[in-house]
Amino acid sequence: MKKNEVPQDKSNLESANFKELCYAVDENGEYTTELSTGWSPKTIALDNAIEALNERISASKQRVIDHKASPLEYYMELHKMDLPILASYVGMWKWRVKRHFRPAVFKNLNNKTLQKYADVFDITIEELQRTDL
Amino acid sequence: MEIDFKHKQAAHCENGVVANLMTYNGFTVSEPMVFGIGSGLLFTYIPFLKVNHAPVVSYRAMPGIIFTRFATRVGIKIKREKFRNAQTAKARLDENLRRNNPVGLQVGVYNLPYFPDEYRFHFNAHNMIVYGKKDGSYLISDPVMETVTSLTEKELEKVRFAKGAFAPKGHIYYPTEFPEELQLEKAIVKGIKHTCRDMLAPVPVVGVKGIRKIAKLIRKWPKAKGIKIANHYLGQIVRMQEEIGTGGGGFRYIYAAFLQEAGKLLMNNQLLELSKEMTVIGDQWRDFAVEASRIYKNRSNTVAVDQYDHVASLLEDLANKEEVFFKKLKKAI
């Protein structure tokens, strides 16, 4: 890549006033660095990934409203987590966390366990238990 | 307290931390040099693991290992520590800052407030330097940022004790012993040999063979997983290749810069030629990204399967080129 070819496309970096460093060759063939504001092929990839995430969030929101899943699942998706990550944050086995996604099981959780989840998501137990999201 | 520390932006966080820490201690090394000597270049497909609900492809060596290799090869000693307890971790950090010792930290990205929201994923192998504490806030030099920044105690604790894969556990590291003079020549040879060995490894998911494996998988995805998931997977590969930290072209440009610097230092003209070749290979990786983005531009479009075959054949071509390249590089050293 030549120095003047370093892409300066519009991207999500702009909002945070953020530029990334790229390595490129100058007119004498010497390697140098240049700042880039973004590149559309990867901006598209990132936008798609975020869109996919948002779809997951709204799907799980619907499942909570339909009483097919506990709010835990929704908050997990909202925080861009998956099962292994959430399990590791609360320090429980994956299968236990997965079990807590069942509304019937979630209803009977004690305050100590609920507090663990609430701390991870930075909300109160009352907020965690609400199903009218 | 504030240590007189010079921040220099880098493409990749780990190399940047090492280069900046070395410079602080009076040894000027460039980011590509650290990357090359630490044998950072790689290609691996990690089966059975999923991140963001997609398979994982990595274009570089495991987090932390670049510094370890760099240190043994140039003869510096590093101290590394991990903690169970956040208080001990904080105490150790403060103690180092009091001794005027800037330290490297491994952190999770998700809770970094200065990152753009879109980039805050649960990725735990980010690196930064803490170079002081002022009014209860830590002064941070994050190599991927243009300027220095700061984090409150609570914010820093959160990122140091992020959970999930590669959990940092408060990981703190800094060089302790230095040689009298930095001998780069031997280290360069070792670093290059190691990279050649990795890229040509007879392991199906590593190096050139790993690239071929992914090409094969790409051909299968649209039928086996459906277009939507196949597009998501393809997007993830491009992100791993081009996202912040790679310097572009899946680290190939940084490596070409390293070969150029090494060629001059060792007065080896072959390396200079190979640097140019690596640049061309890097450009081809970029072309692959462009072609791939044409497919996933529309997330659920019903593109013909032959478009997948096309990007897969681009990858196979890259694998062939890199195989020839690393065989030549091995001989050039």
Side-chain angles (χ1 to χ4, degrees):
Chain A
M1 184 164 57
K2 300 251 168 50
K3 195 177 171 185
N4 52 17
E5 289 168 8
V6 171
Q8 307 292 348
D9 299 347
K10 244 179 130 60
S11 78
N12 328 57
L13 290 174
E14 211 172 21
S15 57
N17 216 350
F18 197 113
K19 276 184 191 161
E20 60 172 314
L21 194 81
C22 285
Y23 279 79
V25 185
D26 68 9
E27 44 302 325
N28 304 320
E30 298 288 319
Y31 257 97
T32 170
T33 57
E34 177 75 332
L35 290 174
S36 161
T37 53
W39 192 38
S40 38
K42 67 176 189 183
T43 309
I44 300 170
L46 180 63
D47 288 346
N48 283 351
I50 289 167
E51 208 179 303
L53 262 170
N54 288 338
E55 270 169 30
R56 295 184 71 91
I57 294 171
S58 52
S60 80
K61 193 175 187 175
Q62 195 54 49
R63 273 200 299 281
V64 174
I65 292 168
D66 297 345
H67 298 289
K68 282 179 184 148
S70 75
L72 273 187
E73 192 196 90
Y74 167 74
Y75 284 110
M76 174 183 81
E77 296 289 353
L78 189 67
H79 284 82
K80 301 182 192 166
M81 292 180 177
D82 56 12
L83 191 58
I85 295 175
L86 178 57
S88 137
Y89 265 100
V90 289
M92 283 188 251
W93 295 98
K94 275 186 277 186
W95 62 263
R96 262 191 87 193
V97 176
K98 202 172 177 181
R99 213 172 142 261
H100 297 163
F101 289 168
R102 284 164 46 192
V105 178
F106 180 75
K107 215 169 53 195
N108 295 328
L109 285 183
N110 61 27
N111 270 351
K112 201 178 146 208
T113 319
L114 284 172
Q115 192 60 52
K116 272 190 192 172
Y117 286 113
D119 286 344
V120 170
F121 300 131
D122 220 358
I123 48 177
T124 61
I125 294 182
E126 290 71 39
E127 281 174 292
L128 185 66
Q129 283 171 321
R130 279 175 53 189
T131 50
D132 53 331
L133 297 167
Chain B
M1 71 211 112
E2 184 176 348
I3 303 168
D4 180 27
F5 181 83
K6 204 168 142 264
H7 171 81
K8 190 169 178 240
Q9 194 183 6
H12 183 241
C13 59
E14 192 180 343
N15 311 327
V17 164
V18 179
N20 282 344
L21 279 180
M22 290 298 288
T23 310
Y24 171 78
N25 285 293
F27 301 91
T28 316
V29 270
S30 67
E31 182 195 2
M33 210 29 128
V34 174
F35 184 72
I37 292 178
S39 304
L41 194 79
L42 191 67
F43 184 94
T44 30
Y45 159 57
I46 308 169
F48 314 119
L49 184 70
K50 290 239 163 99
V51 169
N52 295 331
H53 312 280
V56 185
V57 167
S58 175
Y59 288 80
R60 57 129 173 177
M62 234 176 62
I65 209 159
I66 299 179
F67 193 14
T68 310
R69 285 178 186 156
F70 175 81
T72 36
R73 283 171 195 165
V74 300
I76 58 174
K77 289 223 166 75
I78 8 174
K79 179 146 170 78
R80 288 176 182 281
E81 261 183 295
K82 287 190 179 183
F83 305 88
R84 271 164 179 269
N85 181 306
Q87 271 81 46
T88 342
K90 183 175 167 287
R92 194 59 51 84
L93 173 64
D94 290 343
E95 189 186 307
N96 271 296
L97 294 176
R98 263 198 300 278
R99 285 195 292 125
N100 267 336
N101 186 25
V103 292
L105 290 184
Q106 185 195 339
V107 297
V109 170
Y110 185 68
N111 284 309
L112 278 183
Y114 55 79
F115 258 46
D117 254 356
E118 295 87 349
Y119 282 87
R120 288 172 49 209
F121 284 95
H122 292 274
F123 170 72
N124 284 332
H126 188 61
N127 292 274
M128 56 161 68
I129 296 173
V130 182
Y131 69 97
K133 198 176 181 185
K134 223 181 192 175
D135 311 328
S137 283
Y138 288 98
L139 305 173
I140 308 286
S141 151
D142 189 323
V144 303
M145 305 284 293
E146 274 179 86
T147 52
V148 290
T149 165
S150 68
L151 289 175
T152 65
E153 284 184 7
K154 203 180 158 214
E155 285 167 340
L156 190 67
E157 185 184 311
K158 229 174 175 178
V159 292
R160 286 182 81 188
F161 285 89
K163 300 279 168 56
F166 295 119
K169 297 190 180 126
H171 191 171
I172 179 172
Y173 58 90
Y174 47 90
T176 48
E177 270 177 54
F178 298 93
E180 275 178 17
E181 216 181 317
L182 223 49
Q183 294 288 345
L184 292 180
E185 287 82 357
K186 271 195 184 150
I188 290 172
V189 174
K190 267 197 179 156
I192 291 182
K193 279 195 174 148
H194 193 132
T195 302
C196 293
R197 200 164 63 229
D198 279 350
M199 287 303 292
L200 300 168
V203 184
V205 293
V206 175
V208 172
K209 291 204 158 175
I211 304 176
R212 295 204 176 107
K213 173 92 189 168
I214 281 293
K216 240 187 210 167
L217 288 175
I218 289 179
R219 283 179 203 278
K220 278 188 198 158
W221 284 340
K223 265 185 227 147
K225 306 274 177 189
I227 294 288
K228 204 170 173 183
I229 292 177
N231 284 356
H232 178 57
Y233 285 5
L234 205 56
Q236 176 99 340
I237 293 179
V238 172
R239 285 181 57 212
M240 291 291 184
Q241 181 188 316
E242 296 297 338
E243 240 359 309
I244 303 177
T246 63
F251 295 98
R252 266 61 185 168
Y253 294 134
I254 300 189
Y255 202 70
F258 158 71
L259 288 178
Q260 191 174 60
E261 208 182 324
K264 280 180 197 155
L265 209 77
L266 302 177
M267 298 206 242
N268 184 337
N269 281 332
Q270 263 177 301
L271 287 186
L272 295 180
E273 280 309 307
L274 285 166
S275 161
K276 282 181 198 153
E277 240 177 83
M278 188 91 257
T279 310
V280 176
I281 291 177
D283 290 342
Q284 262 186 307
W285 279 103
R286 301 279 279 193
D287 292 342
F288 160 73
V290 173
E291 291 297 317
S293 73
R294 290 216 174 104
I295 300 180
Y296 60 66
K297 206 176 214 161
N298 189 345
R299 278 182 62 214
S300 48
N301 67 351
T302 45
V303 275
V305 181
D306 56 295
Q307 266 187 286
Y308 280 88
D309 284 340
H310 173 58
V311 288
S313 64
L314 287 181
L315 274 188
E316 276 153 4
D317 189 38
L318 270 165
N320 294 339
K321 288 238 167 74
E322 293 208 343
E323 186 171 14
V324 176
F325 177 88
F326 285 105
K327 277 182 180 159
K328 259 197 271 180
L329 182 61
K330 209 168 155 187
K331 286 205 187 100
I333 263 293

